[in-house]
Amino acid sequence: MAAFKIRYVGGPTALLELGGLRFVVDPTFDEPGEYPIGDRALVKTAGPAFGPAEIGTVDAVLLSHDQHPDNLDTQGRAYLMSAPLVLSTASARERIGDPVRTLPNWDEVELPRPDGRTLRVIGVPAQHGPDGTEQWTGEVTGFVLAGEGLPTVYVSGDNASLDVVQRIADRIGEIAVAVLFAGGAQTPLLGDAFLTLPSEGAAEAAKILGARHVVPLHFEQWEHFSQGADTLVTAFQQAGLTGLLHLPKPGEQIEL
């Protein structure tokens, strides 16, 4: 039996299974179209591979942030309101309320596993753009999942900083599976700056983390992504890390 499973819904959204527990990352289930954000709009180009009904019961939602429609949309909001637990930022807790629980950086929540042991969900930093841009992009968080006898899994959320990745590696140690948001997102608000890791950054993050496996998310299905599957393959080839990369297809489950 695989120690870790991830089934790709689309965009940033995936179903994770680890230690007998099930998690949804950044629920987005709306159809393609324009989604307003301030005085502009983000354009979604493809819908989800499957929806909440097919996901079934989960133990928690891991919500990197709530303020952008490409990470939490209308149907995603409805979905998380029925979840037993949503772990996210203090800002998300303030805006949404229950069932969101703030998970500060380096704090952890222990969840009981079916085998009587526990799985730890640790909040870790994420920086949604260059230094000094949080006033525009807002608060974001990442997550590490760990437990006795389990591979350690890092979920980056919308992070663009390799310095942040280094801090996580220094604090947590080796990561078995890195789930990296890797579309090189850009917005006219910040010019040519990246709001999430570009492909070369994702390959460098894999090196920093000592990852044995990398599963990219949030690299397609939105027009504001500057990079995608092809550039990820090229970047990992050039870094000599081809064997680490597991590119998911919508609806596909990857077992590691």
Side-chain angles (χ1 to χ4, degrees), residues 227-238:
Q227 301 188 17
D230 291 347
T231 56
L232 279 163
V233 170
T234 298
F236 275 72
Q237 286 176 340
Q238 291 178 343

Side-chain angles (χ1 to χ4, degrees), residues 1-5 17-19 113 119-120 144-154 174-178 212-213 256:
M1 181 180 295
F4 173 73
K5 300 178 183 179
E17 297 185 46
L18 181 69
R113 292 158 53 183
L119 184 148
R120 294 179 292 127
V144 168
L145 311 180
E148 183 183 353
L150 299 176
T152 301
V153 178
Y154 165 54
E174 186 174 289
I175 298 293
V177 182
R212 298 197 296 273
H213 304 281
L256 301 172

